[in-house]
Amino acid sequence: MLEALNPPPKDKIIELMAQFRADPRDGKIDLGVGVYKDPEGRTPVMRAVRAAAHRVIEAETTKAYVGLAGDAAFNEAMTALVLGDALDPARTASVATPGGTGAIRIAAELIRNTAPEATVWLSDPTWPNHPAILSYLKIPQTSYRYFDATTGEVDFDAMMADLAGVQRGDVVLLHGCCHNPTGANLSPVQWQAVADLLLEKGATAWIDIAYQGFGDGLDADAYGTRLLARQLPELLIAASCSKNFGVYRERAGILMAISGKGADTGVVQGNLNSLNRVNYSFPPDHGARLVSTVLHSDDLRAEWAEELEAVRTSMLGLRTQLAEELRRLTNSDRYDFIARHRGMFSRLGLSPEAVAKLREEHGIYMVGDSRINIAGLNQHSVPVLARAIASLDG
Ligand code: LMR
């Protein structure tokens, strides 16, 4: 049987991680996978999360199963973190999942089961695992234009022109904040226009929110998600705790399904539980319990919010520094968009040849589409990157 296997499709982010690790050069710079790094290049356990881990271990008396939906305290705290008081919690069904990716996978299976004819619309570009999961599940997918590579901004006219083709019952996947890979995000006015369009089309919105707190702040980053939750009859939300709680390897995430009139939240909840069951039975608990402990303790929550804010502002500082260096070295405003972008990533608009040259000649690793992880930089490596980019033109 196994001899019949073909090599699996490649994932450019995972491949780049391996390439970086294999590079023996000192001074190589990793701007690839979306993992936060402090100025020393470490990905620390957040102080509040470490303190929560001690509390969890001390309080834990059993490792018995919790429930198919995960721990209710985690689901409740995460629903409140993402949705605030945007709507009646009774409309929301939710399951804990292995990371945000688990939530995306369960959402995709829910869509396939309940609306097999629906086409899922993805931004072009998007996180490569979105189309990969949909393709694997053989879910019809198409894309809408999103990014203007010349200006580095959202090409909103093109986006809306493409979304005009959405059919009733289709699903539109949107990045809640900190768009991956571009770093270009919708304004409040643009979110409203998208909400109006989805309502008019009778389409279902699906939000992937993996970087809440990394852009403009915890509440500001949830603006679009909350707006859609208030105005649309139904909404799917895949949220990740990997980045904003720094619990990457613990795999903590949640899928929320908000239903409208005519839908029975209990039935929606039952379907989510059942999808967890057939995929991996009970969702992982430890990471979710750390997150829940932080969110339910006033002291830990305050400390976590402070740490997250420091991460956010440090990335903003690096953005400003890089944009200024590039302005000075290229004598142009071509890269000013880096300071306007939000979140962990910016797409620089370099050619694949330029990306390869940066990797081969300078040991600077970024994804082939020229996405950089801002958090992979520090004050000292910003000028190195800026000089290398400026040298491309010469
Ligand atoms: C990324 O985009 O780099 C992150 O979301 C990590 C991943 O799993 O791809």
Side-chain angles (χ1 to χ4, degrees), residues 13 32-36 43-44 46 49 99-101 127 178 180 208-214 239-249 251-252 291 304 307-308 311 315 344-345 371 373:
I13 297 172
V33 67
V35 169
Y36 172 74
T43 304
M46 293 174 94
V49 171
T101 307
W127 184 50
C178 307
N180 179 4
D208 180 0
I209 182 159
Y211 298 87
Q212 189 183 356
F214 273 41
S240 170
C241 306
S242 298
K243 329 279 169 164
N244 51 7
F245 289 87
V247 291
Y248 305 89
R249 63 175 66 165
R251 313 311 295 136
V291 167
W304 164 73
E307 288 179 88
L308 181 59
V311 164
M315 286 191 296
M344 209 173 222
F345 307 115
R371 182 193 85 168
N373 172 10

mmCIF file of all heavy atoms in Angstrom, residues 13 32-36 43-44 46 49 99-101 127 178 180 208-214 239-249 251-252 291 304 307-308 311 315 344-345 371 373:
data_model
loop_
_atom_site.group_PDB
_atom_site.id
_atom_site.type_symbol
_atom_site.label_atom_id
_atom_site.label_comp_id
_atom_site.label_asym_id
_atom_site.label_seq_id
_atom_site.Cartn_x
_atom_site.Cartn_y
_atom_site.Cartn_z
ATOM 1 N N ILE A 13 5.901 27.715 3.777
ATOM 2 C CA ILE A 13 6.358 28.227 5.080
ATOM 3 C C ILE A 13 7.133 27.137 5.824
ATOM 4 O O ILE A 13 8.218 27.375 6.369
ATOM 5 C CB ILE A 13 5.162 28.731 5.915
ATOM 6 C CG1 ILE A 13 4.496 29.912 5.192
ATOM 7 C CG2 ILE A 13 5.595 29.143 7.315
ATOM 8 C CD1 ILE A 13 3.193 30.388 5.802
ATOM 9 N N GLY A 32 10.796 34.246 8.355
ATOM 10 C CA GLY A 32 9.841 33.309 7.747
ATOM 11 C C GLY A 32 8.611 33.053 8.596
ATOM 12 O O GLY A 32 7.700 33.889 8.663
ATOM 13 N N VAL A 33 8.594 31.910 9.274
ATOM 14 C CA VAL A 33 7.369 31.473 9.957
ATOM 15 C C VAL A 33 6.889 32.517 10.980
ATOM 16 O O VAL A 33 7.693 33.195 11.614
ATOM 17 C CB VAL A 33 7.597 30.092 10.625
ATOM 18 C CG1 VAL A 33 8.601 30.170 11.770
ATOM 19 C CG2 VAL A 33 6.275 29.490 11.101
ATOM 20 N N GLY A 34 5.573 32.602 11.112
ATOM 21 C CA GLY A 34 4.963 33.612 11.975
ATOM 22 C C GLY A 34 5.014 33.249 13.447
ATOM 23 O O GLY A 34 4.032 32.812 14.033
ATOM 24 N N VAL A 35 6.196 33.431 14.022
ATOM 25 C CA VAL A 35 6.384 33.184 15.450
ATOM 26 C C VAL A 35 7.022 34.453 16.011
ATOM 27 O O VAL A 35 7.969 34.980 15.413
ATOM 28 C CB VAL A 35 7.307 31.959 15.659
ATOM 29 C CG1 VAL A 35 7.735 31.830 17.110
ATOM 30 C CG2 VAL A 35 6.610 30.685 15.209
ATOM 31 N N TYR A 36 6.514 34.943 17.143
ATOM 32 C CA TYR A 36 7.087 36.160 17.734
ATOM 33 C C TYR A 36 8.482 35.880 18.281
ATOM 34 O O TYR A 36 8.726 34.833 18.881
ATOM 35 C CB TYR A 36 6.184 36.681 18.866
ATOM 36 C CG TYR A 36 6.858 37.811 19.606
ATOM 37 C CD1 TYR A 36 6.960 39.074 19.022
ATOM 38 C CD2 TYR A 36 7.452 37.607 20.848
ATOM 39 C CE1 TYR A 36 7.622 40.101 19.673
ATOM 40 C CE2 TYR A 36 8.110 38.631 21.505
ATOM 41 C CZ TYR A 36 8.197 39.872 20.908
ATOM 42 O OH TYR A 36 8.873 40.879 21.543
ATOM 43 N N THR A 43 11.737 33.047 21.589
ATOM 44 C CA THR A 43 10.270 33.072 21.655
ATOM 45 C C THR A 43 9.914 32.702 23.090
ATOM 46 O O THR A 43 9.774 31.524 23.411
ATOM 47 C CB THR A 43 9.665 32.075 20.654
ATOM 48 O OG1 THR A 43 10.167 32.397 19.359
ATOM 49 C CG2 THR A 43 8.142 32.144 20.643
ATOM 50 N N PRO A 44 9.806 33.707 23.960
ATOM 51 C CA PRO A 44 9.660 33.383 25.386
ATOM 52 C C PRO A 44 8.258 32.900 25.729
ATOM 53 O O PRO A 44 7.300 33.203 25.019
ATOM 54 C CB PRO A 44 9.935 34.730 26.070
ATOM 55 C CG PRO A 44 9.560 35.753 25.048
ATOM 56 C CD PRO A 44 9.765 35.143 23.690
ATOM 57 N N MET A 46 5.243 33.623 27.835
ATOM 58 C CA MET A 46 4.802 34.886 28.458
ATOM 59 C C MET A 46 4.734 34.698 29.980
ATOM 60 O O MET A 46 4.387 33.613 30.458
ATOM 61 C CB MET A 46 3.439 35.316 27.889
ATOM 62 C CG MET A 46 3.524 35.695 26.410
ATOM 63 S SD MET A 46 1.904 36.038 25.692
ATOM 64 C CE MET A 46 1.821 37.816 25.891
ATOM 65 N N VAL A 49 1.479 33.481 31.299
ATOM 66 C CA VAL A 49 1.199 32.093 30.921
ATOM 67 C C VAL A 49 2.011 31.141 31.805
ATOM 68 O O VAL A 49 1.518 30.092 32.244
ATOM 69 C CB VAL A 49 1.505 31.877 29.416
ATOM 70 C CG1 VAL A 49 1.449 30.404 29.041
ATOM 71 C CG2 VAL A 49 0.520 32.692 28.569
ATOM 72 N N GLY A 99 -5.366 24.432 18.072
ATOM 73 C CA GLY A 99 -4.908 25.645 17.399
ATOM 74 C C GLY A 99 -5.959 26.243 16.485
ATOM 75 O O GLY A 99 -7.077 25.717 16.332
ATOM 76 N N GLY A 100 -5.610 27.376 15.887
ATOM 77 C CA GLY A 100 -6.511 28.018 14.929
ATOM 78 C C GLY A 100 -6.690 27.147 13.696
ATOM 79 O O GLY A 100 -7.763 27.132 13.077
ATOM 80 N N THR A 101 -5.663 26.386 13.351
ATOM 81 C CA THR A 101 -5.767 25.514 12.170
ATOM 82 C C THR A 101 -6.830 24.448 12.388
ATOM 83 O O THR A 101 -7.587 24.115 11.466
ATOM 84 C CB THR A 101 -4.407 24.851 11.875
ATOM 85 O OG1 THR A 101 -3.422 25.877 11.783
ATOM 86 C CG2 THR A 101 -4.447 24.065 10.583
ATOM 87 N N TRP A 127 -3.228 32.972 3.609
ATOM 88 C CA TRP A 127 -2.366 31.993 4.267
ATOM 89 C C TRP A 127 -2.434 30.685 3.466
ATOM 90 O O TRP A 127 -3.546 30.209 3.178
ATOM 91 C CB TRP A 127 -2.878 31.787 5.699
ATOM 92 C CG TRP A 127 -2.054 30.881 6.549
ATOM 93 C CD1 TRP A 127 -0.708 30.940 6.743
ATOM 94 C CD2 TRP A 127 -2.532 29.791 7.341
ATOM 95 N NE1 TRP A 127 -0.319 29.956 7.616
ATOM 96 C CE2 TRP A 127 -1.415 29.237 8.000
ATOM 97 C CE3 TRP A 127 -3.798 29.236 7.572
ATOM 98 C CZ2 TRP A 127 -1.515 28.149 8.865
ATOM 99 C CZ3 TRP A 127 -3.890 28.162 8.436
ATOM 100 C CH2 TRP A 127 -2.768 27.633 9.069
ATOM 101 N N CYS A 178 -4.767 41.973 10.939
ATOM 102 C CA CYS A 178 -3.369 41.581 10.692
ATOM 103 C C CYS A 178 -3.267 40.587 9.529
ATOM 104 O O CYS A 178 -2.777 39.458 9.693
ATOM 105 C CB CYS A 178 -2.773 40.968 11.953
ATOM 106 S SG CYS A 178 -2.943 41.986 13.433
ATOM 107 N N ASN A 180 -2.663 38.063 6.785
ATOM 108 C CA ASN A 180 -1.518 37.199 6.519
ATOM 109 C C ASN A 180 -1.630 36.682 5.088
ATOM 110 O O ASN A 180 -2.575 35.957 4.798
ATOM 111 C CB ASN A 180 -1.557 36.019 7.519
ATOM 112 C CG ASN A 180 -0.423 35.041 7.330
ATOM 113 O OD1 ASN A 180 0.457 35.235 6.514
ATOM 114 N ND2 ASN A 180 -0.457 33.962 8.102
ATOM 115 N N ASP A 208 -11.109 34.319 10.046
ATOM 116 C CA ASP A 208 -9.926 33.705 10.651
ATOM 117 C C ASP A 208 -9.227 34.814 11.434
ATOM 118 O O ASP A 208 -8.739 35.776 10.829
ATOM 119 C CB ASP A 208 -9.013 33.138 9.546
ATOM 120 C CG ASP A 208 -7.763 32.482 10.126
ATOM 121 O OD1 ASP A 208 -7.600 32.460 11.367
ATOM 122 O OD2 ASP A 208 -6.945 31.989 9.324
ATOM 123 N N ILE A 209 -9.223 34.697 12.756
ATOM 124 C CA ILE A 209 -8.581 35.733 13.572
ATOM 125 C C ILE A 209 -7.482 35.062 14.406
ATOM 126 O O ILE A 209 -7.747 34.411 15.410
ATOM 127 C CB ILE A 209 -9.606 36.560 14.394
ATOM 128 C CG1 ILE A 209 -8.906 37.659 15.190
ATOM 129 C CG2 ILE A 209 -10.516 35.720 15.257
ATOM 130 C CD1 ILE A 209 -9.822 38.810 15.607
ATOM 131 N N ALA A 210 -6.256 35.212 13.940
ATOM 132 C CA ALA A 210 -5.119 34.502 14.548
ATOM 133 C C ALA A 210 -4.151 35.455 15.225
ATOM 134 O O ALA A 210 -3.184 34.999 15.842
ATOM 135 C CB ALA A 210 -4.392 33.687 13.483
ATOM 136 N N TYR A 211 -4.385 36.760 15.106
ATOM 137 C CA TYR A 211 -3.399 37.729 15.604
ATOM 138 C C TYR A 211 -4.052 38.845 16.419
ATOM 139 O O TYR A 211 -3.558 39.973 16.418
ATOM 140 C CB TYR A 211 -2.607 38.310 14.415
ATOM 141 C CG TYR A 211 -1.817 37.263 13.671
ATOM 142 C CD1 TYR A 211 -2.386 36.532 12.640
ATOM 143 C CD2 TYR A 211 -0.510 36.976 14.048
ATOM 144 C CE1 TYR A 211 -1.670 35.540 11.979
ATOM 145 C CE2 TYR A 211 0.218 35.997 13.392
ATOM 146 C CZ TYR A 211 -0.368 35.278 12.364
ATOM 147 O OH TYR A 211 0.344 34.297 11.721
ATOM 148 N N GLN A 212 -5.149 38.534 17.096
ATOM 149 C CA GLN A 212 -5.836 39.580 17.861
ATOM 150 C C GLN A 212 -4.883 40.152 18.915
ATOM 151 O O GLN A 212 -4.303 39.409 19.713
ATOM 152 C CB GLN A 212 -7.088 39.005 18.535
ATOM 153 C CG GLN A 212 -7.960 40.076 19.168
ATOM 154 C CD GLN A 212 -9.179 39.509 19.898
ATOM 155 O OE1 GLN A 212 -9.427 38.300 19.868
ATOM 156 N NE2 GLN A 212 -9.926 40.378 20.550
ATOM 157 N N GLY A 213 -4.731 41.463 18.910
ATOM 158 C CA GLY A 213 -3.826 42.122 19.859
ATOM 159 C C GLY A 213 -2.478 42.488 19.247
ATOM 160 O O GLY A 213 -1.704 43.221 19.841
ATOM 161 N N PHE A 214 -2.209 41.998 18.052
ATOM 162 C CA PHE A 214 -0.927 42.288 17.399
ATOM 163 C C PHE A 214 -0.986 43.522 16.498
ATOM 164 O O PHE A 214 0.038 43.996 16.032
ATOM 165 C CB PHE A 214 -0.484 41.090 16.538
ATOM 166 C CG PHE A 214 0.290 40.045 17.282
ATOM 167 C CD1 PHE A 214 -0.088 39.658 18.559
ATOM 168 C CD2 PHE A 214 1.390 39.432 16.722
ATOM 169 C CE1 PHE A 214 0.620 38.693 19.254
ATOM 170 C CE2 PHE A 214 2.117 38.468 17.411
ATOM 171 C CZ PHE A 214 1.728 38.094 18.676
ATOM 172 N N ALA A 239 -10.549 31.160 15.791
ATOM 173 C CA ALA A 239 -9.606 32.020 16.534
ATOM 174 C C ALA A 239 -8.467 31.173 17.080
ATOM 175 O O ALA A 239 -8.669 30.032 17.496
ATOM 176 C CB ALA A 239 -10.327 32.731 17.681
ATOM 177 N N SER A 240 -7.287 31.757 17.053
ATOM 178 C CA SER A 240 -6.091 31.061 17.537
ATOM 179 C C SER A 240 -5.563 31.725 18.792
ATOM 180 O O SER A 240 -5.624 32.951 18.925
ATOM 181 C CB SER A 240 -5.015 31.134 16.446
ATOM 182 O OG SER A 240 -3.778 30.675 16.956
ATOM 183 N N CYS A 241 -5.020 30.926 19.712
ATOM 184 C CA CYS A 241 -4.335 31.465 20.892
ATOM 185 C C CYS A 241 -2.823 31.352 20.724
ATOM 186 O O CYS A 241 -2.075 31.747 21.623
ATOM 187 C CB CYS A 241 -4.742 30.702 22.153
ATOM 188 S SG CYS A 241 -6.513 30.621 22.403
ATOM 189 N N SER A 242 -2.385 30.789 19.603
ATOM 190 C CA SER A 242 -0.953 30.507 19.427
ATOM 191 C C SER A 242 -0.117 31.756 19.596
ATOM 192 O O SER A 242 0.895 31.753 20.290
ATOM 193 C CB SER A 242 -0.698 29.923 18.036
ATOM 194 O OG SER A 242 -1.383 28.717 17.878
ATOM 195 N N LYS A 243 -0.526 32.836 18.924
ATOM 196 C CA LYS A 243 0.328 34.022 18.860
ATOM 197 C C LYS A 243 0.091 34.940 20.058
ATOM 198 O O LYS A 243 1.036 35.347 20.717
ATOM 199 C CB LYS A 243 0.074 34.803 17.569
ATOM 200 C CG LYS A 243 -0.332 33.970 16.371
ATOM 201 C CD LYS A 243 0.828 33.316 15.670
ATOM 202 C CE LYS A 243 0.295 32.302 14.670
ATOM 203 N NZ LYS A 243 1.235 31.863 13.698
ATOM 204 N N ASN A 244 -1.174 35.284 20.320
ATOM 205 C CA ASN A 244 -1.370 36.302 21.374
ATOM 206 C C ASN A 244 -1.151 35.767 22.784
ATOM 207 O O ASN A 244 -0.954 36.551 23.710
ATOM 208 C CB ASN A 244 -2.726 37.025 21.227
ATOM 209 C CG ASN A 244 -3.892 36.101 21.088
ATOM 210 O OD1 ASN A 244 -3.756 34.891 21.224
ATOM 211 N ND2 ASN A 244 -5.065 36.651 20.817
ATOM 212 N N PHE A 245 -1.142 34.442 22.954
ATOM 213 C CA PHE A 245 -0.754 33.874 24.246
ATOM 214 C C PHE A 245 0.606 33.179 24.145
ATOM 215 O O PHE A 245 1.095 32.639 25.150
ATOM 216 C CB PHE A 245 -1.812 32.886 24.751
ATOM 217 C CG PHE A 245 -3.089 33.567 25.181
ATOM 218 C CD1 PHE A 245 -4.094 33.828 24.261
ATOM 219 C CD2 PHE A 245 -3.271 33.979 26.488
ATOM 220 C CE1 PHE A 245 -5.263 34.478 24.636
ATOM 221 C CE2 PHE A 245 -4.440 34.629 26.877
ATOM 222 C CZ PHE A 245 -5.432 34.882 25.950
ATOM 223 N N GLY A 246 1.182 33.153 22.959
ATOM 224 C CA GLY A 246 2.498 32.528 22.761
ATOM 225 C C GLY A 246 2.506 31.039 23.099
ATOM 226 O O GLY A 246 3.533 30.506 23.510
ATOM 227 N N VAL A 247 1.373 30.361 22.892
ATOM 228 C CA VAL A 247 1.287 28.938 23.268
ATOM 229 C C VAL A 247 1.307 28.043 22.021
ATOM 230 O O VAL A 247 0.630 27.016 21.962
ATOM 231 C CB VAL A 247 0.031 28.642 24.133
ATOM 232 C CG1 VAL A 247 0.167 29.282 25.502
ATOM 233 C CG2 VAL A 247 -1.256 29.131 23.449
ATOM 234 N N TYR A 248 2.118 28.446 21.057
ATOM 235 C CA TYR A 248 2.165 27.793 19.739
ATOM 236 C C TYR A 248 2.038 26.273 19.807
ATOM 237 O O TYR A 248 1.138 25.683 19.234
ATOM 238 C CB TYR A 248 3.471 28.154 19.041
ATOM 239 C CG TYR A 248 3.708 29.634 18.931
ATOM 240 C CD1 TYR A 248 4.368 30.330 19.941
ATOM 241 C CD2 TYR A 248 3.267 30.344 17.825
ATOM 242 C CE1 TYR A 248 4.590 31.685 19.848
ATOM 243 C CE2 TYR A 248 3.485 31.710 17.723
ATOM 244 C CZ TYR A 248 4.145 32.374 18.737
ATOM 245 O OH TYR A 248 4.346 33.722 18.653
ATOM 246 N N ARG A 249 2.989 25.636 20.507
ATOM 247 C CA ARG A 249 3.049 24.172 20.441
ATOM 248 C C ARG A 249 1.961 23.500 21.279
ATOM 249 O O ARG A 249 1.750 22.293 21.147
ATOM 250 C CB ARG A 249 4.426 23.668 20.868
ATOM 251 C CG ARG A 249 4.773 23.984 22.303
ATOM 252 C CD ARG A 249 6.097 23.369 22.722
ATOM 253 N NE ARG A 249 7.233 23.928 22.019
ATOM 254 C CZ ARG A 249 8.505 23.763 22.402
ATOM 255 N NH1 ARG A 249 8.779 23.047 23.465
ATOM 256 N NH2 ARG A 249 9.500 24.302 21.725
ATOM 257 N N ARG A 251 -1.162 24.078 20.969
ATOM 258 C CA ARG A 251 -2.304 23.940 20.064
ATOM 259 C C ARG A 251 -3.621 24.294 20.763
ATOM 260 O O ARG A 251 -4.407 23.413 21.143
ATOM 261 C CB ARG A 251 -2.403 22.520 19.442
ATOM 262 C CG ARG A 251 -1.125 21.970 18.882
ATOM 263 C CD ARG A 251 -0.407 22.948 17.951
ATOM 264 N NE ARG A 251 -1.137 23.270 16.736
ATOM 265 C CZ ARG A 251 -1.255 24.519 16.252
ATOM 266 N NH1 ARG A 251 -0.708 25.543 16.869
ATOM 267 N NH2 ARG A 251 -1.903 24.731 15.133
ATOM 268 N N ALA A 252 -3.835 25.571 20.940
ATOM 269 C CA ALA A 252 -5.076 26.055 21.556
ATOM 270 C C ALA A 252 -5.781 26.998 20.583
ATOM 271 O O ALA A 252 -5.196 27.985 20.123
ATOM 272 C CB ALA A 252 -4.778 26.775 22.870
ATOM 273 N N VAL A 291 -4.754 29.410 28.873
ATOM 274 C CA VAL A 291 -5.416 30.627 28.371
ATOM 275 C C VAL A 291 -6.591 30.993 29.272
ATOM 276 O O VAL A 291 -6.761 32.155 29.670
ATOM 277 C CB VAL A 291 -5.885 30.395 26.906
ATOM 278 C CG1 VAL A 291 -6.833 31.493 26.452
ATOM 279 C CG2 VAL A 291 -4.682 30.277 25.977
ATOM 280 N N TRP A 304 -0.850 39.786 31.314
ATOM 281 C CA TRP A 304 -0.823 39.306 29.924
ATOM 282 C C TRP A 304 -1.108 40.456 28.949
ATOM 283 O O TRP A 304 -0.409 40.611 27.930
ATOM 284 C CB TRP A 304 -1.864 38.184 29.748
ATOM 285 C CG TRP A 304 -2.181 37.884 28.320
ATOM 286 C CD1 TRP A 304 -1.383 37.237 27.411
ATOM 287 C CD2 TRP A 304 -3.383 38.242 27.616
ATOM 288 N NE1 TRP A 304 -2.010 37.169 26.194
ATOM 289 C CE2 TRP A 304 -3.236 37.770 26.292
ATOM 290 C CE3 TRP A 304 -4.558 38.900 27.973
ATOM 291 C CZ2 TRP A 304 -4.233 37.956 25.318
ATOM 292 C CZ3 TRP A 304 -5.543 39.079 27.012
ATOM 293 C CH2 TRP A 304 -5.373 38.608 25.708
ATOM 294 N N GLU A 307 1.933 42.537 28.604
ATOM 295 C CA GLU A 307 2.972 41.872 27.792
ATOM 296 C C GLU A 307 2.615 41.899 26.313
ATOM 297 O O GLU A 307 3.466 42.149 25.462
ATOM 298 C CB GLU A 307 3.115 40.405 28.228
ATOM 299 C CG GLU A 307 3.760 40.204 29.567
ATOM 300 C CD GLU A 307 3.835 38.715 29.911
ATOM 301 O OE1 GLU A 307 4.829 38.061 29.530
ATOM 302 O OE2 GLU A 307 2.881 38.215 30.535
ATOM 303 N N LEU A 308 1.341 41.639 26.028
ATOM 304 C CA LEU A 308 0.895 41.633 24.636
ATOM 305 C C LEU A 308 1.043 43.023 24.019
ATOM 306 O O LEU A 308 1.460 43.175 22.862
ATOM 307 C CB LEU A 308 -0.573 41.162 24.583
ATOM 308 C CG LEU A 308 -1.217 41.054 23.210
ATOM 309 C CD1 LEU A 308 -0.465 40.076 22.303
ATOM 310 C CD2 LEU A 308 -2.679 40.598 23.348
ATOM 311 N N VAL A 311 4.571 43.615 23.071
ATOM 312 C CA VAL A 311 4.885 42.911 21.816
ATOM 313 C C VAL A 311 4.378 43.745 20.627
ATOM 314 O O VAL A 311 5.086 43.981 19.648
ATOM 315 C CB VAL A 311 4.215 41.509 21.816
ATOM 316 C CG1 VAL A 311 4.175 40.907 20.426
ATOM 317 C CG2 VAL A 311 4.938 40.580 22.791
ATOM 318 N N MET A 315 6.676 45.731 17.711
ATOM 319 C CA MET A 315 6.568 45.487 16.264
ATOM 320 C C MET A 315 6.296 46.795 15.509
ATOM 321 O O MET A 315 6.816 47.009 14.417
ATOM 322 C CB MET A 315 5.487 44.443 15.975
ATOM 323 C CG MET A 315 5.932 43.036 16.354
ATOM 324 S SD MET A 315 4.849 41.735 15.761
ATOM 325 C CE MET A 315 3.361 42.088 16.625
ATOM 326 N N MET A 344 1.907 40.910 12.254
ATOM 327 C CA MET A 344 3.234 40.314 12.231
ATOM 328 C C MET A 344 3.888 40.415 10.851
ATOM 329 O O MET A 344 5.110 40.350 10.742
ATOM 330 C CB MET A 344 3.061 38.846 12.611
ATOM 331 C CG MET A 344 4.245 38.261 13.297
ATOM 332 S SD MET A 344 3.841 36.616 13.858
ATOM 333 C CE MET A 344 4.588 36.661 15.450
ATOM 334 N N PHE A 345 3.069 40.567 9.820
ATOM 335 C CA PHE A 345 3.615 40.435 8.469
ATOM 336 C C PHE A 345 3.472 41.690 7.626
ATOM 337 O O PHE A 345 2.568 42.499 7.829
ATOM 338 C CB PHE A 345 2.901 39.293 7.722
ATOM 339 C CG PHE A 345 2.915 38.008 8.487
ATOM 340 C CD1 PHE A 345 1.740 37.453 8.959
ATOM 341 C CD2 PHE A 345 4.106 37.358 8.763
ATOM 342 C CE1 PHE A 345 1.740 36.265 9.683
ATOM 343 C CE2 PHE A 345 4.130 36.171 9.483
ATOM 344 C CZ PHE A 345 2.936 35.630 9.945
ATOM 345 N N ARG A 371 6.909 37.941 1.824
ATOM 346 C CA ARG A 371 6.327 38.221 3.135
ATOM 347 C C ARG A 371 7.439 38.184 4.179
ATOM 348 O O ARG A 371 8.200 37.229 4.241
ATOM 349 C CB ARG A 371 5.287 37.147 3.500
ATOM 350 C CG ARG A 371 4.608 37.425 4.837
ATOM 351 C CD ARG A 371 3.813 36.234 5.354
ATOM 352 N NE ARG A 371 4.636 35.288 6.092
ATOM 353 C CZ ARG A 371 4.170 34.296 6.841
ATOM 354 N NH1 ARG A 371 2.859 34.119 6.939
ATOM 355 N NH2 ARG A 371 4.980 33.466 7.473
ATOM 356 N N ASN A 373 8.290 38.450 8.410
ATOM 357 C CA ASN A 373 7.804 38.466 9.785
ATOM 358 C C ASN A 373 8.544 39.591 10.496
ATOM 359 O O ASN A 373 9.740 39.477 10.770
ATOM 360 C CB ASN A 373 8.086 37.113 10.452
ATOM 361 C CG ASN A 373 7.788 37.132 11.945
ATOM 362 O OD1 ASN A 373 7.202 38.092 12.457
ATOM 363 N ND2 ASN A 373 8.204 36.095 12.635
#
